[in-house]
Amino acid sequence: MYDIIIVGGGPAGLTAALYALRAGKTALIIEKNAFGGQITWSPKVENFPTIESISGTELADRLMEQTMNQGAEMELDEVTAIELDGDVKRVKTEFGGEFEAKAVIIATGARPRMLGIEREAELVGSGVCFCAVCDGAFYKGCPVAVNGGGNSALQDAMLLSDTCSRVYLVHRRDSFRGEAKLVEALREKENVEFVLNSSITALHGETELTGITVTDKMGNERKIAVDGLFVAIGHAPDNGIFAELIDLDAGGYADSGEDCMTKTSGVFVAGDCRKKSVRQLTTAAADGSAAALAACSYIDSL
Ligand code: NAP
């Protein structure tokens, strides 16, 4: 039996493992996609203390190596259930894995939000994308659109402007939520066009995306030819399967105190899946450490 099983291998989960292992506990991290989580999609991280500039993938690689060097065990699999058997937590996975632990930390992050317009789902992978770092190279020399006004959209637009012929940055307001410095840098780019006060209302193309229709606040429509659309309108949590163990708010985020404890003894939450006001790399790491230390205290009290 493990001391702690951590569900999710993003910055919150990996930091939790680091703290747990350094406190002398055993830890298994189960990740369904890629260790590093959402941060691997960031071309550049320039707001993590002590690191001036680093790519998201390098940061994730470094954190993973650091965690493995402390003795973390890792499984690439999807957790499908957490069952309680007295104080024992039994974690089941899609590929038939069954693991036991004294404590569990849920650090499942959040998945990209979709626009919810017609044909979006069927064009995913055929022009509709959610990750410029992963898919941007497919659109080299082509016109693309990015939708959103947060740091993800701004960073995506910046990255794509280096290789794409034109980047339309579509945002539903006239000002951006993301960093002013990034907005200024994008304004300087000749091949970036801001399409403000506008929403994407239609997607065109039979089997591959060929264009989008944007509609502004006055109801004026404009058709723009693009080969790629990068949707960067935030994320939503995926906590549904844990609903019996933890309280979820209306948006599906897990309720907990600052100590990351949930209503179930020995079950903790950390990172973007948790209800909180600031979702940043720094706060994910902070959550990971808080949850791990709370889990260690819980185990010591058994
Ligand atoms: P975000 O900050 O929540 O921004 C989402 C954007 O999408 C907002 O501008 C929002 O518009 C827009 N939006 C939401 N729903 C929409 C819809 N249905 N249709 C059209 N537009 C919609 O999300 P994010 O950019 O993914 O960033 C998430 C967090 O990670 C943020 O705290 C961000 O600062 C952080 N982050 C950090 C880095 C880094 O370098 N460290 C990189 C990326 C992200 P409104 O403004 O109108 O609400």
Side-chain angles (χ1 to χ4, degrees), residues 23-65:
K25 307 297 184 214
T26 55
L28 168 69
I29 312 167
I30 307 176
E31 162 61 48
K32 71 172 174 183
N33 278 327
F35 284 93
Q38 279 176 56
I39 200 63
T40 58
W41 301 353
S42 267
K44 262 190 200 166
V45 178
E46 298 189 331
N47 56 8
F48 195 78
T50 77
I51 303 177
E52 187 109 353
S53 183
I54 189 170
S55 77
T57 33
E58 193 188 342
L59 190 141
D61 285 350
R62 280 202 211 173
L63 180 52
M64 201 174 146
E65 196 182 333

Side-chain angles (χ1 to χ4, degrees), residues 16 46 49 68 72 74 139 150 159 172 180 210 215 218 239 243 272 291:
E46 298 189 331
M68 282 171 77
M74 302 192 179
Y139 300 94
L159 180 78
R172 63 186 179 183
T210 55
T215 306
M218 308 297 286
N239 290 328
D272 282 9

Side-chain angles (χ1 to χ4, degrees), residues 42 47 149-152 155 171-173 177 233-234 279-280:
S42 267
N47 56 8
N151 277 329
S152 299
Q155 285 196 343
H171 180 38
R172 63 186 179 183
R173 293 183 202 276
R177 190 192 282 224
I233 59 167
R279 292 193 174 83
Q280 289 287 313

